[in-house]
Amino acid sequence: GESVGLHLPTLSVQEGDNSIINCAYSNSASDYFIWYKQESGKGPQFIIDIRSNMDKRQGQRVTVLLNKTVKHLSLQIAATQPGDSAVYFCAENMGGGFKTIFGAGTRLFVKA
Amino acid sequence: DAGVIQSPRHEVTEMGQEVTLRCKPISGHNSLFWYRQTMMRGLELLIYFNNNVPIDDSGMPEDRFSAKMPNASFSTLKIQPSEPRDSAVYFCASRPTPTTNEKLFFGSGTQLSVL
């Protein structure tokens, strides 16, 4: 079935610590995964993506890990800053139609 | 680049009224998506277009909702008649290419309140 958000878990971290946000995706046929960041009053903004033929991809301060065996994604943010406070969504592109389906989201709160 | 432009930013209307939300995708983008965001259901895909043609409208809640894309630079989402349960933030997003896996670019959304 498609991912539908029902609850919004919260992760609270200290400034400077590393953050890990987890996501379970729904469709084993999905072949492209994206992490988005949404700040209050704004639309989701792209952070990093990964294709199904990879298991890790690194960006600037962010790393995405993909475990296809258990259909699990994680987003790691190094040296978390107050500006990282937002809601983070994982999304999957379902094969064929290239439509993007979003997960429930996780709220990240960074304590100064 | 102005990004994806949505209007209005906020809309307050009374139950039973017609509501029209508007979206201008990024120039040159050939796929356009409409999403609805609520606390209860998160970000739901309503419908998407490739090259101005509706591809999948399975997420449209019911016949009160309709979407059009008359040309590559404009799309509308209409609700008629509106109901209080339609209150949500509606996002439009676009993507350059219909047939490859790419990220979406989102507008700032329209906050709809139906009283």
Side-chain angles (χ1 to χ4, degrees):
Chain A
E2 296 187 349
S3 302
V4 175
L6 295 176
H7 302 284
L8 198 60
T10 298
L11 174 65
S12 184
V13 301
Q14 198 70 39
E15 181 180 0
D17 287 351
N18 297 334
S19 303
I20 299 176
I21 300 171
N22 296 303
C23 173
Y25 63 93
S26 62
N27 192 328
S28 57
S30 294
D31 51 9
Y32 176 65
F33 305 89
I34 320 103
W35 281 99
Y36 289 88
K37 173 186 180 182
Q38 186 178 27
E39 297 174 286
S40 181
K42 297 182 179 180
Q45 183 178 23
F46 170 84
I47 302 173
I48 191 168
D49 58 3
I50 188 168
R51 301 187 188 278
S52 59
N53 60 352
M54 304 170 68
D55 53 22
K56 180 179 180 179
R57 189 163 188 225
Q58 288 186 288
Q60 186 178 14
R61 279 203 309 121
V62 295
T63 301
V64 55
L65 300 178
L66 173 63
N67 185 331
K68 294 182 287 294
T69 303
V70 295
K71 294 191 288 185
H72 183 267
L73 271 173
S74 68
L75 176 70
Q76 301 177 0
I77 304 173
T80 314
Q81 302 168 359
D84 295 327
S85 293
V87 177
Y88 290 81
F89 292 94
C90 67
E92 58 188 300
N93 269 23
M94 301 203 170
F98 304 100
K99 67 180 184 180
T100 303
I101 303 299
F102 282 78
T106 297
R107 184 177 301 279
L108 176 65
F109 178 68
V110 182
K111 296 175 285 186
Chain B
D1 189 346
V4 176
I5 299 173
Q6 292 187 247
S7 63
R9 191 78 170 89
H10 302 274
E11 176 80 34
V12 180
T13 191
E14 292 186 345
M15 182 174 62
Q17 295 299 305
E18 177 180 296
V19 175
T20 299
L21 312 181
R22 296 173 175 80
C23 176
K24 176 179 168 53
I26 293 173
S27 178
H29 283 198
N30 294 308
S31 285
L32 182 142
F33 296 71
W34 282 101
Y35 287 87
R36 177 172 68 176
Q37 186 173 36
T38 61
M39 287 297 293
M40 283 299 295
R41 298 179 65 82
L43 270 163
E44 300 175 276
L45 176 62
L46 301 178
I47 185 171
Y48 74 101
F49 297 81
N50 285 344
N51 297 317
N52 313 338
V53 176
I55 301 301
D56 186 339
D57 65 353
S58 60
M60 295 286 262
E62 48 198 271
D63 292 345
R64 297 184 297 106
F65 285 70
S66 62
K68 294 182 180 180
M69 193 163 186
N71 57 63
S73 60
F74 184 66
S75 177
T76 59
L77 178 67
K78 185 176 293 187
I79 308 173
Q80 166 63 20
S82 58
E83 297 183 4
R85 61 193 167 118
D86 302 330
S87 297
V89 181
Y90 290 80
F91 287 103
C92 176
S94 69
R95 184 175 71 194
T97 309
T99 56
T100 58
N101 282 315
E102 295 171 311
K103 62 189 178 188
L104 295 175
F105 294 79
F106 280 81
S108 297
T110 295
Q111 173 82 59
L112 174 64
S113 298
V114 183
L115 307 177

